[in-house]
Amino acid sequence: MKRTRIGNGGGFWGDNRDAPVDLARTGRLDYLTIEYLAELTMSILALLRQRDPKAGYAHDFLETLKQLGPILANQPDLKIVTNAGGMNSLSCGERSAAILADAGLTSHPVAIVTGDDLLPRLDELLAAGHPLTNLDTGEAFETIRSRVVSANAYLGAKPIAEALIAGAKVIITGRVADASLTVGPAMAEHGWAWDDWDRLSAATVAGHLIECGAQATGGLWTDWQAVPDLANVGYPIADIAADGGFHIEKPPKTGGRGNIETIAEQLLYEVGDPARYLTPDVVADFTSVTLAEPARNVVSVASFRGLPATDSYKVSIAYRDGFAASGMLVLLGPDAPAKARFAGQMILDRLARAGAAFDHSLIETLGAGACVPDVVKAAVDPPEVVLRVAVRDADKAKVDRFTREFAPLVTSGPPGVTGYTTGRPVVRDVFAYWPALIRKTAVDSEVKIHRMS
C-alpha cells in the first residue's frame, strides 16, 4: 500500500532553528512542513508589512531554505510546504525562488498561495453583508473597524494540493489551518476525493498531531523526567497510508519520546468539542480515534470518522488596543514577598499622584505563588522573589512615564532591591484578537507557480 511520509520541522515562529534541517536530512521524508503562524504572529507581521511593503513574512524561513539547499539537491523528490508567507506570501515566495535559483535548484518550482488576506477587502465585505461579528462576544465589528491591522481567513488544503499536483516543489502560504499543511500533501499523493470525509478526517488528525512539532515527541509531556535526551528531541513524522491509517514516529538516533501518552496529550491540545473539530476541510471526530504502540517511539493511529466541512472560514482579526509595558526587579532577604508587593504599589502610587492612572495594572510576586495562587499558599516565604509590574492604557505617554519608575526603587524603596541593570522597560503596542466567520463563497484562493526552468 502506498505510503506518504510528512514531517513537521517547526510548530511556531521561534521554534528550534535546526529542527527542519535535521528532520529533512534524516527523516526519509516525502514532505517537510514548517508551521510558523499564530494569531499574535500575524499581528507582528502586519506591523512589519506596514513599515515595509515587501516585508510581513517569517523571514527566518529564508535562512532555513538556504540550509535546506544541499538536502533538496540530494533528495530531489522532497517537497516543502510552509505558511511562512504570513501577511506577504508573494514577497516570501519571490525571495524563496531567488534562493533556490542561487543554489542551482532551478527545477524546484515555487507555488505561492494567496487569498487569505481580507484586510484590503474589509469595507467591500461589510457592504456585501458579511458582518464579521465577534464569534465569542457577539460584538459588532464596527466598534473596532478603525483600529484593525490584519484580517485573515483560515484557508484549507485545496490550494496546497492544487499546487503540488501542478508540480510545485516548495509551497508558500499565508494563513491556512495548521492541519491543512499536512492534509494538502496527503490529498495530492493519495488522490482522495474532497468529500471522502473519513480520510480527510484521518489526514486532519495526522496534521493536528504533528503541527506543534516536538509536543508530539516528548515536549511538554507531563512525565518529562522520563524523556531521554530532550535537548536533542526529534520532530514528528506522520507516515500516512492510502487507506488513511497512519503512524507517528520520530527520526532514529534523536532524543524525545513518542508513545500513547504524548500523542494523546497532543490530540487534545487546543481542542474545543473533540467530537466536532472544525477545520476548513472537514469536521473531524477525535472521539473515534484509536491509538496503539506497535514499537518504541511509534504510535499507530486508526478509526477515523469525519463529517462535511462547514460553509464558513474562520477569520482571525487583530486590532490595536492601546499600549503596555512591564518591568521586573528582584527583591531578596527577609519578607521578600511583602517587600516586593510594597515596592510594586509604590510605583503605582507615585504614578497616581502624577496623574497617571491606568486602564489596567498588575503586581505579581513571581516565586511566591503569583503564577499558581491556588497551589502555592500565602504561608510560603521564599528568600527572594521577582517583582513584576505591568500596565496597559490607551495613552502611550502614561505608559512611557511608568517605565521610568523602576530605577528610583534602588535607593528609595525597601532594602534588598537588585536586578535593575537591564534598562527601562519597553513600551509596546497591544493587539487584541477578534475571531469571526465568513462564508467560503466570499473568499477566493489563488495559486501562482514560479517556474525557473
Side-chain angles (χ1 to χ4, degrees), residues 85-440:
M87 295 295 298
N88 201 337
S89 297
L90 187 60
S91 287
C92 184
E94 291 173 347
R95 290 288 305 278
S96 299
I99 288 170
L100 293 173
D102 289 344
L105 297 169
T106 56
S107 61
H108 281 63
V110 175
I112 303 165
V113 176
T114 59
D116 62 294
D117 185 4
L118 305 183
L119 187 64
R121 300 180 55 208
L122 282 181
D123 293 329
E124 166 203 334
L125 292 169
L126 291 169
H130 301 280
L132 300 176
T133 303
N134 190 298
L135 191 59
D136 294 332
T137 67
E139 294 176 83
F141 182 68
E142 286 74 11
T143 61
I144 64 156
R145 172 65 187 94
S146 63
R147 294 180 282 150
V148 171
V149 296
S150 66
N152 294 79
Y154 284 74
L155 300 181
K158 283 186 178 180
I160 296 173
E162 176 186 335
L164 291 169
I165 292 169
K169 292 290 187 72
V170 177
I171 292 86
I172 310 289
T173 79
R175 180 76 275 188
V176 299
D178 295 348
S180 296
L181 296 176
T182 297
V183 176
M187 296 298 289
E189 285 289 329
H190 295 304
W192 298 331
W194 288 101
D195 60 356
D196 189 341
W197 307 117
D198 290 346
R199 287 189 173 87
L200 275 166
S201 180
T204 296
V205 172
H208 176 72
L209 289 177
I210 68 173
E211 70 189 27
C212 293
Q215 282 186 200
T217 50
L220 298 189
W221 185 25
T222 52
D223 197 12
W224 59 274
Q225 291 170 310
V227 182
D229 195 12
L230 191 56
N232 184 39
V233 64
Y235 277 55
I237 301 164
D239 189 307
I240 306 174
D243 64 358
F246 66 89
H247 66 258
I248 303 293
E249 63 180 75
K250 66 183 186 67
K253 299 181 180 179
T254 59
R257 183 76 168 92
N259 59 22
I260 289 177
E261 289 184 19
T262 65
I263 296 301
E265 287 182 12
Q266 175 59 29
L267 182 67
L268 298 178
Y269 179 73
E270 291 185 339
V271 170
D273 181 354
R276 290 182 55 83
Y277 184 73
L278 304 177
T279 82
D281 306 307
V282 66
V283 176
D285 181 0
F286 285 8
T287 66
S288 69
V289 173
T290 61
L291 306 177
E293 197 171 341
R296 185 171 179 81
N297 291 315
V298 176
V299 177
S300 62
V301 190
S303 187
F304 306 100
R305 192 164 59 228
L307 296 170
T310 70
D311 61 359
S312 299
Y313 287 124
K314 184 178 179 180
V315 182
S316 174
I317 299 169
Y319 63 96
R320 295 181 182 274
D321 198 23
F323 303 89
S326 64
M328 295 190 293
L329 290 170
V330 176
L331 278 294
L332 54 88
D335 303 316
K339 286 192 293 188
R341 289 188 289 269
F342 180 81
Q345 193 59 50
M346 282 181 64
I347 292 175
L348 297 182
D349 288 346
R350 285 174 171 175
L351 288 163
R353 282 196 299 272
F358 298 93
D359 295 337
H360 303 278
S361 62
L362 178 67
I363 298 173
E364 295 175 296
T365 51
L366 307 179
C371 292
V372 283
D374 294 329
V375 177
V376 179
K377 304 301 181 185
V380 173
D381 187 19
E384 62 184 25
V385 296
V386 175
L387 164 68
R388 179 181 182 272
V389 186
V391 298
R392 174 179 152 199
D393 200 88
D395 187 341
K396 186 177 183 179
K398 288 196 296 185
V399 178
D400 181 70
R401 171 64 190 269
F402 161 81
T403 67
R404 304 166 188 266
E405 293 298 332
F406 281 81
L409 290 176
V410 174
T411 55
S412 65
V417 176
T418 187
Y420 48 81
T421 60
T422 56
R424 291 175 180 167
V426 176
V427 178
R428 63 185 187 278
D429 296 287
V430 173
F431 298 99
Y433 173 58
W434 184 281
L437 296 176
I438 192 167
R439 290 193 298 275
K440 287 180 176 177

